[in-house]
Structures are given as C-alpha cells and as structure tokens.
Amino acid sequence: MERQAPCRCERLPINGLTYHVRHWGPDDAPLLLMLHGWMDSSASFQFTVDALQRSWHVVAPDWRGYGQSEWLNRRYWFADYYADLDYLLDRYSPGVPARIVGHSMGGAVASIYGGVRPERIAGLLMVDFLGLLPNEAREAPGRIRDWLDRSRATPKLRAYASREQLAARLLQFNKRLLPERAAFLATHCASQLPDGQWVVACDPWHKVTSPHLYRIEEVMACWRAMTAPVMLVTADEGYVMQRFGQHAEELQRRMDCFVHGHITRIDDCGHNVQHDRPEKLAELIESFFCYPEKP
C-alpha cells in the first residue's frame, strides 16, 4: 500500500456556489495550486502529492459541478471557471503570483486566464493539453441543434452497483492503473446515488457539449499575452500526441505563443498522467518550480 499524505478539506462560497477545496501540507509552505481536468476531481492529485519530495502547501479545488463542490444540475458556462479561478487566487495567493499545475481542462482554464491576468501567475505546468482541434463555421447549426436536443432531458452517467465494480471499470479503461489506485479513485472521486449505486463524482450536465464552436485563434491570443514560463507535459499516448503528433507544425505554432514555453514528454503514459506516472509528474513539478529557500 502506497503512503498517502493526509489532506484536509474546507468549504467556501465562490460566486454563488459552495466550493470544496483540498489542502495537503503545512499552510506556511510554498503554495502549489493544482487544477483538475474534465470529469475528474481534486482527489485525483493524491498520488502526485504523495510523490513530492519537498514540503509544499498544495491547494486543489473541485471545480463547480465536480467532486464535492456544488453542482448546478443544469447547463454550464465555461467562462465561469475563469471567475472561480480569479477568486481562488485572491484567497490563497493574494498579491503574489501563483504556481499552477493544470491537468487537461485545468490547464485550459489557467492558460487562458494567464493571458487575461498575467501578473497573477508565476508559472504554469500544463499537463497534456494544448487546445482542442478547431471547428469549421459550417458545423455551427448542427452543434446548436445537438445542444438543444440533448438539453431536453436530464443527462445521466453510467452507474455501478458497487465501488468495487467502478474500480474494476477504471482498471479496464486504463491498463496502467494500479489496483490500489483504482480503489482510491472509486472511493474519493465517486459519489453514491440514492438507490445505492455509484457514479463518478461529476454533474452529468458536463457531458452536454457547448453550443459554441472552439476558436483556437482566440485562445492563442490569450496565450501570447502570458508572461509566465509554461511547461507543457505530454504523454506518449495522451491527447496532445493524439491530436498533434502527426502535425508537428501545428503543435509548434501553438507552443510558439508562449513567451517562455517548452515541452517535456513522459513515456508509457496516457492522458491521466497523475494516475499513470505520478512520480515522474512530481519530479517535473519540483524541477520546474524553484523551491524558495528560507533566508
């Protein structure tokens, strides 16, 4: 059984919702803000926190509609995540640029926010995310139609009879996942329904695709406005390589947006780097963010 660093949790109001935030490490240690991805929650970073060698104060929120934060039970607006991050930084890193680790959607939110308020970010380690594939304008009618159709009924997530069954499904989905880690995720990243079944702890409304097309040029404009260093961590079987592995020129075009950006690759790893190779991810975090020594 792996050693697990103890965490403590708090609840706080953010933009009209009750947020659930996890903390690891002493409050007076250097701050690391860890932002989870889509259809995930903050407990997903436990294995990475366990592998850190230095003393950090790790703060990891459950985004709105995820984990133990409040769920809307209706459609979500992506821009709200920028406002939530704005509040989180004011609370946990007031007046001081923050070190941020963002996995997937967490990296998307932080990288766009970093161009809007560049003075608030000291560095961003973006894990397996470099934007989505662009849409074409002709897709707009179908996209809006799909959004309307899917919004007519309440979406549902696949349910499992027990946590053990959910853990088995996680192991089936990810062959690299250790059984003890699958059991942890099925406990701490899941919720029980009134009928006793278990689901991943995510509001199913997140599964309804936005009616808006993805505009990569607008995203890249925000990236160009970032001043903090950015490390992109890719996985050899992750989303960045799936999307851009055969399009080196597009990958480079996007990376060139960052004034101080570079890429590091992790092999034998899928999209969920924090599950597959948390020790390597922790090593990269501590090499990227300079640990402040006491005078």
Side-chain angles (χ1 to χ4, degrees):
M1 180 65 67
E2 296 178 319
R3 173 188 66 87
Q4 289 185 1
C7 80
R8 57 197 183 280
C9 302
E10 68 170 325
R11 296 186 179 276
L12 64 152
I14 297 181
N15 297 321
L17 296 176
T18 301
Y19 251 68
H20 174 260
V21 181
R22 293 178 189 272
H23 298 256
W24 291 271
D27 289 339
D28 60 353
L31 179 72
L32 276 178
L33 183 63
M34 294 190 175
L35 306 175
H36 71 79
W38 185 71
M39 303 309 285
D40 202 354
S41 54
S42 60
S44 184
F45 288 115
Q46 178 71 56
F47 319 131
T48 303
V49 172
D50 292 341
L52 293 170
Q53 299 301 303
R54 307 298 296 265
S55 177
W56 298 92
H57 177 201
V58 177
V59 175
D62 290 339
W63 288 119
R64 58 173 58 211
Y66 291 103
Q68 297 180 51
S69 287
E70 189 172 347
W71 297 11
L72 295 183
N73 297 307
R74 54 182 169 81
R75 294 165 294 208
Y76 287 80
W77 174 239
F78 195 83
D80 284 330
Y81 294 116
Y82 309 140
D84 293 350
L85 178 56
D86 206 37
Y87 182 98
L88 288 162
L89 291 175
D90 283 347
R91 179 176 179 86
Y92 295 113
S93 191
V96 180
R99 308 171 191 86
I100 299 179
V101 177
H103 174 244
S104 197
M105 188 190 84
V109 175
S111 63
I112 293 173
Y113 178 91
V116 177
R117 298 202 192 282
E119 73 282 1
R120 299 300 290 116
I121 296 183
L124 171 62
L125 191 142
M126 192 160 55
V127 184
D128 204 39
F129 183 82
L130 195 58
L132 305 177
L133 295 173
N135 298 119
E136 296 184 16
R138 60 180 174 79
E139 299 177 52
R143 183 77 168 258
I144 296 171
R145 185 185 307 111
D146 180 66
W147 179 79
L148 287 172
D149 291 344
R150 295 189 64 186
S151 297
R152 286 175 174 268
T154 301
K156 297 183 182 299
L157 297 178
R158 180 175 176 178
Y160 300 86
S162 64
R163 285 181 295 189
E164 291 75 19
Q165 190 179 88
L166 174 55
R169 172 60 181 143
L170 294 174
L171 288 170
Q172 183 183 28
F173 179 76
N174 182 0
K175 301 300 184 183
R176 298 182 180 88
L177 189 61
L178 299 177
E180 58 268 27
R181 290 177 180 170
F184 176 91
L185 295 171
T187 299
H188 298 282
C189 294
S191 58
Q192 191 171 26
L193 300 175
D195 63 3
Q197 297 189 93
W198 290 83
V199 294
V200 175
C202 306
D203 189 336
W205 280 98
H206 290 301
K207 302 283 283 186
V208 177
T209 303
S210 168
H212 302 291
L213 301 181
Y214 184 74
R215 301 294 188 183
I216 184 57
E217 298 300 335
E218 295 176 9
V219 172
M220 291 170 66
C222 293
W223 291 350
R224 292 187 189 99
M226 280 194 70
T227 56
V230 175
M231 175 189 283
L232 170 64
V233 177
T234 68
D236 63 338
E237 296 185 23
Y239 288 174
V240 171
M241 288 296 101
Q242 288 173 10
R243 292 167 181 162
F244 310 113
Q246 302 301 315
H247 304 281
E249 69 289 344
E250 176 62 13
L251 190 152
Q252 192 60 52
R253 184 176 82 97
R254 297 187 182 203
M255 281 303 299
D256 286 344
C257 294
F258 301 110
V259 178
H260 306 289
H262 65 281
I263 304 175
T264 299
R265 173 169 157 163
I266 299 180
D267 291 325
D268 189 25
C269 189
H271 176 62
N272 287 317
V273 180
Q274 75 280 15
H275 300 168
D276 295 356
R277 298 291 302 280
E279 298 83 6
K280 183 61 179 178
L281 180 58
E283 178 185 323
L284 291 175
I285 290 171
E286 296 191 301
S287 65
F288 179 65
F289 295 114
C290 296
Y291 191 87
E293 300 295 341
K294 294 183 178 179

